[in-house]
Amino acid sequence: MEKIKETLDYINSKTNNLKPDVAIILGSGLGCFCDDLDGIKIKYSEIPYFGESSVVGHKGELLFCEIEGKNAVIMQGRFHFYEGNSLAVATYPIKIFKKLGVKTLFITNAAGATHKGLEVGDIMLICDHINFMGTNPLIGKNDDSLGERFPDMSNCYTKSLQELAKNCAQELNIDLKEGVYLATTGPSYETAAEVRAFRLLGADVVGMSSVPEAIVSNYLKMDTVAFSSVTNHATGVSDKKLAHSEVVEIGKTTSLKLSALIKSMIKKLDF
C-alpha cells in the first residue's frame, strides 16, 4: 500500500486532486482518440512504480481531461506481459484508477479474428474472455482491503454497459459485433493450428492484453466494458503474413468509430 500511496501522491500533485469518474485504456493504433482532447498529461516514466510502455503505437502517458461532462483519465498505451512485466505491474494502473475514484473502466485493444464472420475494421464488444496466458494477476497474497480472495467472474464485463454499448452503436449506425476474446502471452503471433484450437474453444478474436486488466477491474468491483478493434484475420484464416505496423494502421482507421461510441456511452453514464 505504500507504493500505491506514493503513486497517488505524485499524480494528485500534478492534477490538483482531480477525481476521474471514467478511465480508458487505449490499445495499439487507438491513440488518436485523444487528438481533440486537452488536459493534464503525465508521462508514465515520471510516475513512481507505474512502469513504462515500449510498444510502437503506445504513447506512454496519462491524460486527465473532461469527456462529455465527465472527468476522465486516459491511458495512452498499456503495459504488456510480453514486455517482461509481471502481471502485477501490467495491472497496477487499474488499482491506481480505483483509488483515484474511477467508477467505470473502458478497455480497448487490437485483435485478430479467428474466423471470417468478423471483418478487418470491425469493432467487437467483448462479452466474455478466455484466459490462455497460463497465469493470473491475482496470484499471490490477497489484500482484503482491495478485493476478495476468490472473485466471481459472472459479470466481469458489466452487462448493463454492454447493453448501453449496443444502444449507442445503433444510434450511431455502427455495426457493433459481439464475441469472446482470448488472451495469449505473445509476443509471437499465433500459429494456424493454435488459431483452429482457439476457434474450437469459442474464441472470436485473439490478442495479447486486456484480460488481466479486466480480471483486476472485476476484483476491485469496477464497472467494466471492453472492445476489440479487429485489425487482421489470424494466421490460417488468411494467407497474409502479420505485421504490427499494419495492426497499428488498421487500428487508426477504426478509432474514429470507436471514439464516437465510447464518447456517446460516457455522455449517458448516470453519475
Side-chain angles (χ1 to χ4, degrees), residues 105 107 109 125-130 153-162 179 181 209-215 218 222-227:
L105 175 67
I107 300 173
N109 61 60
L125 173 67
I126 298 175
C127 61
D128 208 346
H129 72 236
I130 299 170
M153 295 291 289
S154 59
N155 197 31
C156 181
Y157 300 95
T158 309
K159 291 180 174 58
S160 60
L161 288 178
Q162 292 182 52
Y181 178 96
S209 67
S210 299
V211 165
E213 297 153 347
I215 290 172
N218 177 72
M222 296 167 65
D223 289 335
T224 306
V225 64
F227 301 94

Side-chain angles (χ1 to χ4, degrees), residues 80-98:
H80 299 84
F81 190 44
Y82 64 70
E83 293 175 85
N85 299 305
S86 68
L87 288 188
V89 170
T91 59
Y92 184 71
I94 313 304
K95 295 177 182 178
I96 298 304
F97 295 157
K98 174 70 174 182

